[in-house]
Amino acid sequence: MTNSSNSFELALSYPVSYSVQDNKFESKEKFPKMGKLTIPIESAYEFAQHIMSLCDNEKYHKDIFVYDMNTNEKIPTKGVVIWGKGKVGNYDEDGYGAYGSFNPKKAEVKQVPQEVNWDSSPVVPETDELPF
């Protein structure tokens, strides 16, 4: 899939959608809002590959904070960031607060070395015979 201006290749065949809405479950007093990601089957493997490509290439790593809902603490860590587009819904009409989708620019895939140097193997067997 390409973007509307065809200037770069998108990572996913179909976008991943998200929404933020009122929590409908018993935990709503502690957590009044809930978020939802909707991942099309056609894009699930592409989304996973995209995340792995971001993780494998340090140029995509950022200093980020994650929020621990149990301790109410922000935890600094390294991570990757995926941006999406969003809108504010009319909760009374559509049941959603904020909603939108993710379909990022395809990440550069870090190439795995094609040749393996077997001379650097940590254990070189003394014989070709099986040990049993």
Side-chain angles (χ1 to χ4, degrees):
M1 182 173 219
T2 58
N3 67 348
S4 57
S5 67
N6 293 323
S7 61
F8 57 84
E9 185 178 1
L10 294 172
L12 311 175
S13 296
Y14 295 103
V16 171
S17 297
Y18 72 89
S19 65
V20 178
Q21 57 199 44
D22 288 339
N23 189 346
K24 303 171 189 171
F25 301 101
E26 293 176 14
S27 61
K28 66 182 169 187
E29 291 198 22
K30 186 173 182 182
F31 306 110
K33 298 289 182 188
M34 57 190 284
K36 175 176 76 171
L37 287 178
T38 306
I39 304 171
I41 298 299
E42 297 89 346
S43 296
Y45 290 107
E46 296 167 336
F47 192 51
Q49 177 60 56
H50 180 71
I51 292 169
M52 294 307 300
S53 294
L54 295 174
C55 293
D56 287 344
N57 194 328
E58 287 187 30
K59 80 178 191 178
Y60 298 114
H61 296 182
K62 307 284 184 208
D63 291 320
I64 64 168
F65 289 95
V66 295
Y67 191 76
D68 185 333
M69 298 293 281
N70 294 316
T71 63
N72 292 325
E73 294 178 331
K74 284 172 55 172
I75 302 167
T77 187
K78 286 283 189 188
V80 296
V81 178
I82 300 174
W83 292 93
K85 296 179 180 177
K87 295 184 176 185
V88 177
N90 184 348
Y91 188 77
D92 294 334
E93 292 176 16
D94 60 18
Y96 294 99
Y99 66 97
S101 64
F102 298 99
N103 199 351
K105 179 180 176 181
K106 193 169 191 174
E108 176 185 324
V109 177
K110 189 174 181 181
Q111 297 297 317
V112 178
Q114 297 298 319
E115 293 182 24
V116 176
N117 183 358
W118 293 107
D119 295 336
S120 66
S121 176
V123 177
V124 178
E126 294 179 14
T127 179
D128 289 335
E129 293 181 23
L130 296 175
F132 47 87

